[in-house]
Amino acid sequence: GQNIDQPTEMTATEGAIVQINCTYQTSGFNGLFWYQQHAGEAPTFLSYNVLDGLEEKGRFSSFLSRSKGYSYLLLKELQMKDSASYLCAVRGNNDYKLSFGAGTTVTVRA
Amino acid sequence: DTGVSQDPRHKITKRGQNVTFRCDPISEHNRLYWYRQTLGQGPEFLTYFQNEAQLEKSRLLSDRFSAERPKGSFSTLEIQRTEQGDSAMYLCASSLVGQGDGYTFGSGTRLTVV
């Protein structure tokens, strides 16, 4: 089975940095994904890590440590539109099925 | 291509009624997935198709649920004899075999069973 943990809520100020941690215990590993989901909308793909290290995409970066079963998503220069739920998902031994954490709701305040 | 489309966006039904949802994936994507999401939770895997073959069904998918993808293009998800516990957002997603990145989700169908 898959066990994926992330904090329920985080609050940060516009322009600041927030780091969302995700820990996982899974039967097999074939990639870790981060998705952003605004209320009432579909999840949208943010990042993908399969090897250890940092992947940077503009204001968003994602880090993976496979030996520790740990990832984080770093959001820099926060904007009000970044207020959303951020979902951590792990792909197991197969190459298709994702198991999601419950999501972290980030609230950006002015 | 406008992405993954789902219809309807919202459905309110009485307990015991049958409902059917439709998903149109990105045209070149050969994999299609159904997930269910309840408030405050992440999406949960229901089932997966590669072309027209249904290759995996979650044990969450009771015998009241059936999904089809008859020609390897659009898919339908039917729930028979709906129960209040079926109230959720039903998400469809698609991807291409061999593509390492994650899938593209549709906007979902929100089902409310009253």
Side-chain angles (χ1 to χ4, degrees):
Chain A
Q2 320 287 48
N3 188 24
I4 300 165
D5 289 314
Q6 50 183 129
T8 304
E9 293 180 343
M10 301 183 77
T11 301
T13 306
E14 195 173 15
I17 297 172
V18 70
Q19 178 175 313
I20 307 169
N21 296 324
C22 172
T23 57
Y24 62 90
Q25 293 172 309
T26 59
S27 52
F29 179 83
N30 192 15
L32 187 139
F33 300 78
W34 285 95
Y35 282 81
Q36 180 191 61
Q37 187 176 28
H38 286 99
E41 297 182 10
T44 55
F45 170 78
L46 289 179
S47 70
Y48 165 64
N49 295 71
V50 67
L51 299 176
D52 289 352
L54 188 68
E55 294 283 340
E56 296 188 82
K57 269 189 181 183
R59 294 189 299 113
F60 293 175
S61 303
S62 57
F63 171 83
L64 174 67
S65 169
R66 288 172 297 170
S67 62
K68 294 181 179 177
Y70 169 70
S71 172
Y72 68 72
L73 179 70
L74 196 69
L75 286 61
K76 294 179 263 189
E77 301 168 18
L78 280 172
Q79 301 175 9
M80 300 299 286
K81 67 178 182 180
D82 297 330
S83 292
S85 178
Y86 291 85
L87 298 162
C88 174
V90 173
R91 187 164 58 193
N93 282 329
N94 57 66
D95 68 343
Y96 56 86
K97 185 165 66 177
L98 297 185
S99 297
F100 286 84
T104 300
T105 300
V106 172
T107 302
V108 181
R109 295 188 172 160
Chain B
D1 199 335
T2 56
V4 179
S5 301
Q6 292 188 245
D7 182 69
R9 289 294 306 272
H10 303 274
K11 178 71 177 179
I12 300 174
T13 191
K14 291 184 178 178
R15 191 174 49 188
Q17 296 295 305
N18 299 346
V19 294
T20 300
F21 310 141
R22 178 182 170 118
C23 172
D24 287 89
I26 292 173
S27 56
E28 62 266 27
H29 284 183
N30 50 5
R31 287 182 168 175
L32 186 147
Y33 314 82
W34 285 97
Y35 278 74
R36 180 171 66 188
Q37 186 176 26
T38 54
L39 200 62
Q41 299 299 314
E44 295 176 295
F45 174 82
L46 292 178
T47 191
Y48 146 68
F49 291 85
Q50 182 157 318
N51 300 312
E52 66 276 9
Q54 187 175 20
L55 297 185
E56 184 173 343
K57 289 172 58 172
S58 165
R59 53 191 166 81
L60 291 175
L61 217 64
S62 76
D63 57 5
R64 297 185 298 106
F65 288 70
S66 62
E68 294 182 342
R69 194 182 184 198
K71 297 182 180 177
S73 56
F74 74 91
S75 175
T76 57
L77 177 68
E78 181 183 15
I79 309 174
Q80 296 182 326
R81 305 181 303 281
T82 52
E83 302 173 355
Q84 286 189 321
D86 298 332
S87 295
M89 174 76 85
Y90 290 84
L91 292 164
C92 176
S94 68
S95 71
L96 194 58
V97 173
Q99 185 182 51
D101 294 349
Y103 354 112
T104 302
F105 280 92
S107 296
T109 294
R110 180 166 296 285
L111 173 67
T112 303
V113 181
V114 298

